[in-house]
Amino acid sequence: MVKLAVVRPAMARRSMSPQELDDFEQELVDQFALAAAASGIGDDHISQERSVIFAFLRHLGNYLWTAQPADVDRFLNRERKLKGLARSTVHGKAGTIARFFDFLTSRYQDEIHQLTGHVVTQPVDEFNRPAKADYGGMIRVPPSGVEVDALFSGWREALPDARKYLPAARDYLAASLWRRVGLRIGETVLLDIRDWRPDLGEQGKLHVRFGKGSMGRGPKTRMVPAINGVDGLLNWWLTDVRHQFGDDWEKPDAPLLPSERRDPELGRSRRVGDDALRSGFARAVSLWLPDWSGRLTPHGMRHFCASSMYERGMDLKAIQDLLGHEWLSTTTRYIHVHDNHVETAWAVANDRVALRWGTGKR
């Protein structure tokens, strides 16, 4: 647990000793942490944010209420150029500082001014706020539908002749879940047999119990409908393949995607690791989509899923729910349409107009 100092209501005074100013500054940092904890943010994330704030204050060399944009300029420049931190890391630190000063101006502006004579300003502005980096370094624009169909067709046809059929079939199923309903690789690994609910909805649903949470709030659950052929894939997996990994196939808490190794203590198959799924996917791409070898990742298949759903006419809110995004703006960054999408949409729109005015019907 994060250890916080005892927070006392600040007493208005005309002048304060250096020790009292130090205590007041510490109190403000603790109040920020308490507010974060009250909103449900996890202890680890709170600790990380506190460490960023204290690092900035050490660099500032003065009380927090004196901070100006130039101070953040120097701090972020040191983090990026002198310490060589990644752009994404520097972006996160700038965001933490910005949130902290938003908190101060919103809750404690009057009290800080009364006690110190300073008016707090937001030192992270439009000029020094780093642009968010592209994570991972891999290309995110996915291959075309024709290319992805070729990849999975070749993979599926080769399964019966695979040297190790069971892991090959498992890797194919996992990648199909990324392709068809946009599961994350971490969500896929943590699925149990009980998470497949064929009794829910028209096609059944997958209960994703360990979806990616935001801001350290822990797992975010969602129900993913088994659309786009996922119901047939899961029925094939559970009917023809899963029982060949061991006799735990009827245990609800056994992993849906197992390893070939057994867990002697639990008496069931071990859970497959994400490294094994990544390796299996990389081998398949190198064999059946070699132009994308080393570039197409499991996360890239989430982008393909979002893009293909959008091209089929699914609205953004539905895609957001399917992928488990907290914000619609995140979903929009996953949509990559190919060159003919605008032309196709324009032709369809013109056909609708012609039909409307040609027939007199709306």
Side-chain angles (χ1 to χ4, degrees):
M1 295 291 289
V2 174
K3 295 183 179 180
L4 304 176
V6 176
V7 179
R8 303 178 304 330
M11 301 296 292
R13 286 179 287 269
R14 290 185 176 274
S15 61
M16 300 177 71
S17 68
Q19 183 60 55
E20 289 172 328
L21 290 171
D22 290 344
D23 291 343
F24 180 50
E25 183 179 57
Q26 177 67 53
E27 180 176 323
L28 294 173
V29 177
D30 288 340
Q31 287 285 11
F32 178 65
L34 287 172
S39 70
I41 296 177
D43 289 345
D44 289 344
H45 190 82
I46 293 173
S47 295
Q48 292 172 6
E49 290 207 323
R50 283 167 63 86
S51 66
V52 171
I53 293 168
F54 286 130
F56 173 65
L57 293 179
R58 286 194 297 270
H59 177 80
L60 178 64
N62 205 338
Y63 291 112
L64 59 86
W65 43 81
T66 68
Q68 298 296 317
D71 298 312
V72 171
D73 293 347
R74 289 188 290 271
F75 176 73
L76 297 181
N77 185 67
R78 185 194 68 170
E79 299 295 289
R80 182 76 179 99
K81 294 186 176 180
L82 298 183
K83 297 177 68 174
L85 298 182
R87 286 180 57 197
S88 58
T89 302
V90 177
H91 178 274
K93 292 189 176 187
T96 295
I97 297 170
R99 284 190 296 274
F100 176 55
F101 278 88
D102 281 343
F103 170 81
L104 294 178
T105 56
S106 176
R107 289 199 181 185
Y108 290 98
Q109 179 72 279
D110 291 342
E111 189 171 4
I112 292 172
H113 182 258
Q114 183 179 16
L115 294 176
T116 70
H118 286 267
V119 176
V120 177
T121 60
Q122 172 57 269
V124 182
D125 57 23
E126 60 180 312
F127 301 105
N128 61 16
R129 185 186 300 270
K132 190 170 185 178
D134 292 329
Y135 294 99
M138 294 291 185
I139 188 167
R140 288 292 188 241
V141 178
S144 67
V146 172
E147 291 173 309
V148 171
D149 286 343
L151 165 62
F152 280 86
S153 294
W155 198 350
R156 181 175 60 251
E157 292 171 4
L159 282 179
D161 299 323
R163 185 174 65 85
K164 300 183 73 173
Y165 171 75
L166 293 182
R170 177 202 62 207
D171 297 346
Y172 173 81
L173 173 67
S176 297
L177 294 178
W178 310 334
R179 169 199 182 186
R180 295 178 182 272
V181 288
L183 261 62
R184 299 178 177 92
I185 188 170
E187 297 169 344
T188 309
V189 165
L190 294 173
L191 288 171
D192 289 341
I193 289 176
R194 63 178 172 179
D195 293 326
W196 167 229
R197 297 293 305 273
D199 56 313
L200 299 179
E202 295 184 6
Q203 291 95 6
K205 295 187 177 183
L206 272 171
H207 185 198
V208 177
R209 292 177 294 117
F210 295 94
K212 181 180 178 182
S214 61
M215 298 291 289
R217 286 183 170 87
K220 178 183 177 183
T221 64
R222 71 183 188 279
M223 302 298 294
V224 175
I227 58 175
N228 204 13
V230 166
D231 53 344
L233 282 166
L234 288 171
N235 288 332
W236 159 74
W237 173 253
L238 291 172
T239 301
D240 297 341
V241 184
R242 177 62 179 83
H243 65 277
Q244 298 184 56
F245 279 89
D247 57 5
D248 60 345
W249 61 278
E250 289 186 313
K251 296 181 179 180
D253 57 349
L256 182 67
L257 281 78
S259 165
E260 293 181 283
R261 297 181 180 181
R262 298 280 295 179
D263 187 328
E265 294 184 2
L266 297 177
R268 66 187 187 205
S269 301
R270 294 183 184 273
R271 193 177 302 278
V272 68
D274 59 352
D275 286 343
L277 296 184
R278 290 181 193 278
S279 297
F281 182 69
R283 284 194 296 271
V285 171
S286 66
L287 288 172
W288 295 291
L289 198 60
D291 288 347
W292 283 80
S293 181
R295 295 193 295 150
L296 185 57
T297 65
H299 193 74
M301 294 311 299
R302 266 173 65 83
H303 284 247
F304 171 80
C305 176
S307 301
S308 62
M309 291 294 183
Y310 183 75
E311 288 183 331
R312 293 183 190 184
M314 181 180 286
D315 65 74
L316 284 174
K317 182 62 171 67
I319 298 174
Q320 175 190 5
D321 293 340
L322 181 69
L323 270 60
H325 286 152
E326 182 77 14
W327 305 106
L328 189 61
S329 59
T330 304
T331 306
T332 61
R333 293 196 293 270
Y334 276 59
I335 304 299
H336 310 277
V337 295
H338 292 276
D339 292 341
N340 64 345
H341 179 74
V342 173
E343 289 87 345
T344 302
W346 172 254
V348 170
N350 281 341
D351 288 343
R352 286 200 302 265
V353 171
L355 179 63
R356 173 182 173 185
W357 292 106
T359 62
K361 298 179 181 179
R362 292 181 180 272

